[in-house]
Amino acid sequence: MSSPTAEAVASSRPGAAAPGPHGDGPAHPVRAGAKRAPRDRIYRAFSTPAILVYTFGFLAPSVYGVVISFSKWAGPGSDRSWIGFHNYVRILHDDAVRQAFINTLLIVLVGGAGVFGLAFLAMAVLRDMRGRAFVRAALYLPSIISMIAVGTSIGFLLNPDGVVNKLLRVLGLHALQQPWLDPDHIFACILVGVVWMTSGFYIVLLMTAVDAIPKHLYEEAQLAGLTRLQQFRYITFPLSRDMIAIAAVLWTSNSLRTFDIVIGFVGSAGTPPLQSRTYAVQQWISAGNGTGGIPELGYGSAMATLLTLLTIVLVVLVRRLGRGDRLEIS
């Protein structure tokens, strides 16, 4: 029995060209690009609509907003004049913007400490708690309620004659009664409201990472005598680090845009006081909303541009801080 020739073996390989009639070469050479062509057409068919939507729905308006930030413009129907970097220089000297920026950073840092402190506590306590599914649902519930509705409700509770002060009066704690919504107290109340509303989402998000950790690791830790705090430090936290980094990025980008709960707290009382404004609220006011003044869309666009750059910088920074070697469970 004869053995197959080298040409026969080569021609039998997948994708190989058929030999010519005289065995001196392929009769119909197959180009590699010819095989990729149908696949490339499919890619283009699916990606082109997405690219168009992204370009005209996000990139084009964003670029247009940056262009407007270099001009003075009151809106459609009015003249627009080029003023260069004047809006950006003005932002650096605007006391209202500076106060709003400080308030926003306080929400990011202090509010973030509160949110992730509660989330870490839940990761240590809810892991093997009976009825944890119900507790998670209850904690998540405030996250699906409109911030405007929550802010308005809390605002009613904290009125000078609201439920909180009446309850303190009934308990004989007259000294603790406060005008909670005055300029000196309102931002602290907003900060507590933000933590209360958003904690449930991050607890549920981080608990999904805890659920993926094998149970036998905790059983071995218990046999070794580790406390719950030690189990969290040596097992839960290292194996949940990727999800914690994602949650930190989400918190940073979302808290920088805190807006509606401030409007909800003020309700129909008019423009939010300076002490309660966040950067997004100040940008909204600068665009002519709530004051009845002339809109300054160029100034508002400059504020939006700086907020976008700040968000990108902070998100990259948070991602770099959360970067580490991936741990694998053996």
Side-chain angles (χ1 to χ4, degrees), residues 22-303:
H22 304 293
D24 54 352
H28 304 288
V30 179
R31 293 175 301 176
K35 288 192 171 183
R36 290 200 302 268
R39 187 174 56 189
D40 292 344
R41 282 197 295 271
I42 294 175
Y43 287 159
R44 283 195 293 270
F46 280 97
S47 61
T48 300
I51 293 174
L52 290 176
V53 170
Y54 186 79
T55 301
F56 292 101
F58 175 73
L59 287 182
S62 299
V63 173
Y64 185 62
V66 174
V67 173
I68 290 177
S69 70
F70 293 101
S71 64
K72 183 177 182 180
W73 190 38
S78 61
D79 295 332
R80 191 172 65 192
S81 57
W82 178 266
I83 57 174
F85 287 93
H86 175 76
N87 285 329
Y88 292 94
V89 175
R90 181 183 163 194
I91 288 174
L92 298 178
H93 296 86
D94 193 329
D95 293 336
V97 173
R98 186 181 302 111
Q99 180 64 52
F101 181 71
I102 293 173
N103 289 343
T104 304
L105 285 185
L106 287 175
I107 291 177
V108 174
L109 299 177
V110 180
V115 167
F116 283 90
L118 292 174
F120 291 161
L121 179 64
M123 292 168 73
V125 174
L126 295 181
R127 174 170 51 81
D128 53 356
M129 178 181 175
R130 181 173 296 178
R132 56 184 179 276
F134 172 78
V135 175
R136 288 187 199 182
L139 292 174
Y140 185 71
L141 186 60
S143 301
I144 62 176
I145 303 174
S146 166
M147 274 201 172
I148 290 284
V150 173
T152 304
S153 301
I154 297 177
F156 279 120
L157 294 176
L158 297 177
N159 268 327
D161 293 327
V163 175
V164 174
N165 278 340
K166 286 182 178 178
L167 184 61
L168 293 173
R169 196 178 305 131
V170 170
L171 297 176
L173 303 174
H174 299 277
L176 296 181
Q177 295 183 79
Q178 300 290 339
W180 302 104
L181 299 181
D182 72 350
D184 293 333
H185 298 88
I186 188 170
F187 182 71
C189 297
I190 291 173
L191 193 57
V192 173
V194 169
V195 173
W196 178 74
M197 277 203 65
T198 55
S199 294
F201 171 79
Y202 293 96
I203 289 174
V204 172
L205 184 64
L206 295 183
M207 286 304 296
T208 58
V210 177
D211 291 340
I213 299 175
K215 302 295 183 187
H216 70 84
L217 294 179
Y218 292 106
E219 294 171 355
E220 294 172 1
Q222 291 173 357
L223 292 175
L226 268 63
T227 64
R228 277 190 175 271
L229 181 60
Q230 291 171 323
Q231 293 175 29
F232 175 81
R233 179 181 177 185
Y234 296 112
I235 299 176
T236 306
F237 186 83
L239 295 179
S240 307
R241 193 168 55 192
D242 289 345
M243 187 62 76
I244 293 173
I246 294 173
V249 170
L250 290 175
W251 166 258
T252 302
S253 59
N254 289 333
S255 56
L256 284 173
R257 295 181 282 111
T258 302
F259 174 80
D260 36 12
I261 192 171
V262 179
I263 303 299
F265 258 80
V266 178
S268 59
T271 305
L274 180 61
Q275 293 85 349
S276 69
R277 296 178 191 173
T278 60
Y279 192 89
V281 172
Q282 184 61 38
Q283 179 191 351
W284 178 71
I285 293 174
S286 299
N289 297 295
T291 60
I294 299 175
E296 296 183 279
L297 299 188
Y299 192 61
S301 297
M303 293 183 65

